[in-house]
Amino acid sequence: MNDIDKIIEEASAKINSSDIAVLESVKNEYMGKNGVLTLILKSLSQYSIEEKKVIGAQANRAKSVIESEIEKRKEILKKMLIDEKMAKEKVDYSSAFYFPFAKGSFHPVIRTIEEITSIFKSLGFSVADGPEIETEWYNFEALNIPVNHPARDTQDTFYLEGMKNVMRTHTSPGQIHVMEKQQPPVKVIVPGRVYRNEASDASHSATFHQIEGLSVGENVTFADLKSTLTLFIHKLYGQDVALRFRPSHFQFTEPSAEVDVQCVLCNGKGCRVCKNSGWLEMLGCGMVHPNVFKAVNYDTKKYTGFAFGMGVERLAMLKYGIDDIRLFYENDLRFLKQF
Ligand code: DAH
């Protein structure tokens, strides 16, 4: 009995170690193949039945006491190890923040939309929004592009399931939404994203941005169109830049024109960007076609108006000297950080 208590005492002292490996060897020393307690239990046969009972019970008690002490100690050591690791690996969050903070900036497309918008606001235009998913009526018919008209082919339309709706191919349907809700006088621009089913290259993208413009009232003339767009181009590219109005065709305007600006990169001398013509196409415009007014129940005898549409990426590319439209959509910070 005394021996067993001594054994437990001895073992406990050893178990107090802070080395997990020591615990394993203690286990072996007492309970292993040739462990102290194992040998005692093996030698029971030499005792009488009475002695066997007592010694056996005591040896087994010692075994379970030592075993549970080892387990308890192991748990404590494991926890200590984790605590130690946590203390060592602690992250100092305060050091992860540094000053000055890296500042974000507006995307060049958004910047350009903002700039164009503020010019038109200063000329008395308000800003409206339209849906990116349109019915064919808004995207085509109401704009005097009837079913089966060849002009639809030039638009590379994305049709949605069921062929009823389309991703808008231009912001011109924005005109229709505005006129449906409002009687003249109307002076509005509609910026937004448009979609075309075409392969992308340096100057084409399946999605890009346009700004539509519309001015309707009594006595709105082509002279108003010219003066408004001349003012706009001069504010955007500078007072000295030359521009010209060239006859063109759009279904929703009659007469129609395109505005060219003297190449801002070579000053009209001729370069790769203006294809040696010295001029850059800037936007489409014209006097609103009576069929468009009829679609929104405007009185065609009382009102006239002009409309225009421009591609935002194209204007931004010329303003900032960017030669590949795809740069706008790649979100490469080295590009974006320059704006
Ligand atoms: N919607 C035309 C396009 O996507 C641009 C345009 C041209 C809009 C002439 C107009 C306009 O309002 O009068 O190419």
Side-chain angles (χ1 to χ4, degrees):
M1 287 280 289
N2 279 340
D3 285 351
I4 296 275
D5 282 338
K6 244 196 190 155
I7 288 170
I8 292 176
E9 223 172 90
E10 236 179 59
S12 298
K14 288 178 189 160
I15 289 167
N16 212 15
S17 162
S18 26
D19 189 345
I20 277 197
V22 168
L23 297 185
E24 286 307 319
S25 74
V26 171
K27 198 171 176 180
N28 207 35
E29 190 182 336
Y30 291 89
M31 271 97 73
K33 238 182 176 183
N34 297 307
V36 179
L37 292 170
T38 314
L39 293 180
I40 289 175
L41 288 166
K42 270 186 186 166
S43 65
L44 284 181
S45 55
Q46 67 191 40
Y47 296 105
S48 68
I49 292 183
E50 300 303 304
E51 284 171 326
K52 263 186 204 164
K53 267 190 190 164
V54 178
I55 297 170
Q58 289 305 319
N60 279 324
R61 180 178 64 91
K63 247 176 100 169
S64 72
V65 168
I66 293 171
E67 233 161 27
S68 86
E69 274 187 20
I70 288 175
E71 285 314 307
K72 259 191 239 155
R73 186 66 191 164
K74 259 193 194 164
E75 284 309 307
I76 291 169
L77 289 186
K78 271 190 205 156
K79 201 178 164 296
M80 274 166 59
L81 263 173
I82 291 170
D83 286 348
E84 209 178 294
K85 225 178 159 186
M86 297 254 280
K88 251 194 253 161
E89 292 175 6
K90 197 163 141 189
V91 177
D92 178 1
Y93 290 103
S94 68
S95 75
F97 293 98
Y98 57 92
F99 292 91
F101 289 117
K103 270 194 232 146
S105 60
F106 285 108
H107 191 281
V109 167
I110 298 298
R111 264 182 79 124
T112 306
I113 290 175
E114 288 290 325
E115 203 174 334
I116 294 170
T117 300
S118 86
I119 294 173
F120 280 106
K121 274 185 177 166
S122 78
L123 298 174
F125 285 75
S126 58
V127 184
D129 207 9
E132 291 181 15
I133 296 173
E134 291 284 13
T135 61
E136 286 196 88
W137 189 81
Y138 280 102
N139 198 75
F140 295 122
E141 265 135 78
L143 291 161
N144 194 36
I145 310 174
V147 184
N148 295 328
H149 192 282
R152 289 203 188 187
D153 298 345
T154 66
Q155 298 267 347
D156 303 311
T157 312
F158 279 120
Y159 283 86
L160 295 176
E161 229 174 309
M163 303 288 281
K164 277 216 173 78
N165 295 326
V166 301
M167 299 307 295
R168 68 176 172 198
T169 56
H170 50 181
T171 43
S172 301
Q175 290 184 26
I176 307 297
H177 289 288
V178 170
M179 289 190 283
E180 276 181 339
K181 287 188 214 103
Q182 191 188 327
Q183 283 297 309
V186 167
K187 268 179 104 175
V188 71
I189 59 166
V190 187
R193 190 190 280 271
V194 301
Y195 300 83
R196 302 248 173 122
N197 187 3
E198 57 189 11
S200 68
D201 60 27
S203 52
H204 295 88
S205 163
T207 172
F208 56 101
H209 298 76
Q210 285 188 335
I211 297 180
E212 187 75 15
L214 176 73
S215 175
V216 183
E218 296 178 34
N219 303 317
V220 174
T221 67
F222 201 91
D224 297 316
L225 161 75
K226 271 190 95 169
S227 62
T228 301
L229 293 179
T230 302
L231 245 158
F232 163 67
I233 296 281
H234 281 161
K235 283 208 179 183
L236 190 66
Y237 286 109
Q239 290 297 329
D240 317 321
V241 70
L243 63 154
R244 68 181 184 190
F245 287 73
R246 178 169 44 75
S248 185
H249 172 80
F250 298 102
Q251 279 294 114
F252 28 89
T253 45
E254 182 59 39
S256 302
E258 274 176 81
V259 178
D260 295 340
V261 174
Q262 198 167 47
C263 183
V264 283
L265 298 173
C266 66
N267 292 319
K269 287 189 201 79
C271 68
R272 190 177 54 85
V273 175
C274 62
K275 298 191 185 91
N276 286 318
S277 70
W279 294 95
L280 297 164
E281 290 171 21
M282 276 291 142
L283 50 88
C285 59
M287 300 306 291
V288 179
H289 196 290
N291 286 352
V292 176
F293 283 153
K294 279 180 198 150
V296 295
N297 293 317
Y298 269 16
D299 185 342
T300 53
K301 292 211 182 67
K302 195 165 169 200
Y303 300 119
T304 53
F306 66 83
F308 55 89
M310 62 189 96
V312 176
E313 279 82 349
R314 183 171 166 78
L315 295 188
M317 285 167 84
L318 295 171
K319 190 166 170 73
Y320 298 116
I322 298 162
D323 62 4
D324 193 323
I325 196 170
R326 291 168 291 198
L327 286 165
F328 289 120
Y329 315 113
E330 284 164 357
N331 285 333
D332 186 331
L333 286 180
R334 292 167 302 179
F335 172 74
L336 295 177
K337 271 182 180 161
Q338 299 175 62
F339 299 93

